[in-house]
Amino acid sequence: MVKSTVRFSETVMDRVEELVEGEEFSSKSEFQRFAVEYVLSEIDDYEPEMLDFDEVRDEVFPDHALGRDAEPGEDGDGEFYQVAARVRQFALRGEIDTARELIDTKYPATDPRAMVLDDVIETYRTSDHTAAPRGRPAPEPR
């Protein structure tokens, strides 16, 4: 291994020491190795070399582990597009609860696809689209 010296502010090192004392990491060196490999794996096509990297990542970022399990189906994103079309259709018709139920049955809450579809619903819920179903005039206010 190559040795590298890096200077950090006291505030940063205090926080790292808290994580080490809290048993998330066994040492400051382990934290620093993990941090560097994690950033590289997120921004580049880099395969981490750190022993037990996946286990440490899943412990430190439990939501990441849930989202990672939600891979596209065998047909790529075809199923997602079909679900998105149905969600949009329900939302256009003002059937917001039905649209939400469809999302909940297809994807876990931490899945990025569920989050995108929730945003689709919100777009229709807060716009004039839900004021009246397509092709029919909006009811007069009382």
Side-chain angles (χ1 to χ4, degrees):
M1 283 196 173
V2 176
K3 184 177 180 178
S4 174
T5 302
V6 181
R7 297 192 190 286
F8 294 104
S9 69
E10 276 189 53
T11 307
V12 169
M13 289 312 298
D14 288 345
R15 184 66 183 117
V16 170
E17 287 172 5
E18 287 174 21
L19 291 170
V20 170
E21 289 171 7
E23 298 181 5
E24 279 89 352
F25 298 94
S26 61
S27 67
K28 289 186 274 185
S29 293
E30 181 188 28
F31 171 83
Q32 292 166 353
R33 280 191 299 275
F34 171 78
V36 169
E37 294 216 43
Y38 179 76
V39 169
L40 287 173
S41 71
E42 290 293 309
I43 63 171
D44 197 4
D45 188 20
Y46 174 80
E47 188 65 34
E49 297 176 4
M50 180 179 164
L51 186 64
D52 299 328
F53 175 83
D54 291 337
E55 290 81 8
V56 173
R57 182 197 53 217
D58 293 349
E59 186 176 323
V60 174
F61 303 110
D63 289 342
H64 187 274
L66 293 173
R68 194 181 70 247
D69 292 340
E71 293 296 323
E74 291 178 9
D75 64 342
D77 284 338
E79 180 185 1
F80 171 75
Y81 294 123
Q82 290 175 352
V83 172
R86 291 292 291 158
V87 165
R88 181 181 176 275
Q89 186 177 42
F90 287 133
L92 274 169
R93 294 176 179 167
E95 299 175 28
I96 302 299
D97 290 338
T98 305
R100 290 188 194 285
E101 187 177 318
L102 178 59
I103 295 168
D104 292 343
T105 58
K106 291 291 184 177
Y107 306 108
T110 56
D111 189 316
R113 294 171 291 187
M115 295 175 203
V116 166
L117 293 174
D118 282 335
D119 285 344
V120 168
I121 290 174
E122 193 63 24
T123 299
Y124 290 100
R125 193 180 71 76
T126 59
S127 70
D128 293 330
H129 287 93
T130 58
R134 198 173 3 167
R136 297 186 200 139
E140 293 295 320
R142 295 183 185 208

